[in-house]
Amino acid sequence: MDDYPLLNLFLTMMYVFLWVLWFFLLFKVVTDIFQDHSLNGWAKAAWLVFVILLPYVGVLVYLIARGRSMGRREAKQAEDREEAFRKYVRQAARPEDGPGPGGGHVSELAKLAELKDKGHLSQEEYDKAKAKLLV
């Protein structure tokens, strides 16, 4: 370790960081090319060839030419994912349509089972009420 000065260690760490950052940026640009619905197939192929054959220039030109719309597309996708999540949560939290103010066959069946367990309903009464709910 004596042959490797501290400054060289910092420089090596910086190079590794920049190398990882470069690949992240390259993958981000390639992903954006494929996810952009405003580009047709030929335009996507042209951008992809440009980015692969001349990676540094291609990525730089792509960011200059389409960087702003890249950010808008990313924000729109985040909003769409958020809205889909909220819609799923509302749908999952909504009680089933059915009898009773609490709504839902599940809650009614739970109430019937509780009444039967407490002895307020006989097995026969429970079966009749359950059949009524499930029809």
Side-chain angles (χ1 to χ4, degrees):
M1 195 69 174
D2 295 331
D3 297 339
Y4 204 69
L6 186 62
L7 182 60
N8 286 351
L9 178 67
F10 288 134
L11 286 175
T12 303
M13 288 173 48
M14 184 183 71
Y15 293 146
V16 169
F17 173 75
L18 290 175
W19 185 70
V20 169
L21 183 67
W22 163 249
F23 276 105
F24 175 77
L25 185 60
L26 181 66
F27 291 136
K28 186 74 172 163
V29 165
V30 170
T31 302
D32 187 65
I33 289 171
F34 283 109
Q35 289 180 346
D36 187 5
H37 299 297
S38 67
L39 291 177
N40 64 20
W42 288 107
K44 288 180 183 184
W47 274 114
L48 194 60
V49 166
F50 188 45
V51 166
I52 289 174
L53 292 181
L54 297 170
Y56 293 111
V57 175
V59 167
L60 184 63
V61 169
Y62 187 85
L63 290 176
I64 291 170
R66 301 185 52 84
R68 183 169 293 166
S69 63
M70 188 175 169
R72 284 191 210 119
R73 279 188 298 281
E74 186 75 27
K76 175 78 168 94
Q77 288 174 354
E79 288 173 8
D80 291 345
R81 284 190 300 265
E82 180 71 22
E83 180 58 34
F85 174 73
R86 289 176 190 254
K87 182 178 177 183
Y88 171 76
V89 168
R90 281 192 302 267
Q91 182 182 3
R94 185 178 341 131
E96 296 179 33
D97 294 334
H105 295 296
V106 176
S107 62
E108 292 293 324
L109 286 172
K111 289 176 189 174
L112 283 174
E114 185 180 335
L115 288 172
K116 185 185 105 169
D117 290 342
K118 289 183 178 179
H120 298 296
L121 288 177
S122 67
Q123 182 65 37
E124 187 178 305
E125 292 170 328
Y126 171 76
D127 291 336
K128 284 181 185 177
K130 180 178 165 185
K132 233 187 241 185
L133 276 176
L134 297 178
V135 171

